[in-house]
Amino acid sequence: MKARTFFISSIAAILLTGTAIAAPGHKPGEGHSHADDTPYGKPGDPKKPARIVQIVFREDDGKMLFLPDKLKFKKGEQVRFQLRNNGAIDHEFVVGTVEENLKHMKDMEKNPDMEHDDPNAKRLKPKATGEILWQFTKAGTFDFSCLIPGHRQAGMFGTIVVE
C-alpha cells in the first residue's frame, strides 16, 4: 500500500511541476509559444518549403553581434533560421516586435536564467547550433534580439523588414 501511495504522490508531483518545466521563468500562459498568428507571424509548417537563413552569434571587442543583423522577407514567406553560437558564452535569438522584446528584456533582468526554446526563440550554449522555422504573415518592421541581461545593450539585436 505504501508503494502505491508513493507512486501516486510521485506522479502528482511530476504533473504539478510540468508547467514550471515547460515555461521556466514564465507565469502560466506567458511563455513564448505562439501557436496563433502574432503581429510578426507564426510558427512555420515543416511540410512546406522554407528559405534558409543562417544567423551567427558572436562576441567581438566588447560587442555582441548577430551576423547578419538586417534581414528582408516577403509577406507570407517561411524562413528556416539556422542558428550557430560561435561565441564563448550563451546567447539567444528571439523574434518579436521591438516593444515585446524590450518588455521581455526587463523580465529577463529579473530572471536571468530563463531559457528559451520556443517557436520564435532559442537559447544556445557556446559552439551549439539550433533552428527556428517561422512564417512572416504580416508586413512590417520587426526585431530579433538576445535578451540575456546586457546582451542587447552590447549590440546583440537586428531588424527584420517584411514587405
Side-chain angles (χ1 to χ4, degrees), residues 99-124:
E99 296 77 20
E100 280 183 4
N101 278 351
L102 290 176
K103 179 181 179 293
H104 194 67
M105 182 177 69
K106 291 187 189 310
D107 294 339
M108 290 285 294
E109 289 169 0
K110 296 173 193 163
N111 189 1
D113 295 326
M114 187 185 312
E115 293 196 24
H116 298 102
D117 188 8
D118 303 301
N120 69 316
K122 176 97 42 197
R123 185 170 182 152
L124 296 176

Side-chain angles (χ1 to χ4, degrees), residues 19-100:
T19 302
I21 292 168
H26 294 286
K27 294 176 188 167
E30 288 185 354
H32 290 279
S33 182
H34 298 287
D36 297 329
D37 220 2
T38 68
Y40 47 92
K42 65 181 183 179
D45 180 348
K47 295 176 184 167
K48 294 184 178 175
R51 176 174 160 190
I52 295 173
V53 175
Q54 296 179 347
I55 305 286
V56 175
F57 311 173
R58 61 182 269 208
E59 306 99 34
D60 189 21
D61 290 331
K63 292 187 176 192
M64 296 182 188
L65 310 164
F66 287 117
L67 295 174
D69 63 358
K70 290 177 179 43
L71 303 169
K72 195 175 203 178
F73 304 114
K74 294 192 182 307
K75 181 180 165 188
E77 189 169 7
Q78 180 164 279
V79 179
R80 184 176 305 278
F81 291 104
Q82 293 181 336
L83 310 171
R84 178 168 182 79
N85 184 357
N86 283 349
I89 58 176
D90 284 12
H91 291 295
E92 64 182 16
F93 180 84
V94 181
V95 176
T97 64
V98 171
E99 296 77 20
E100 280 183 4

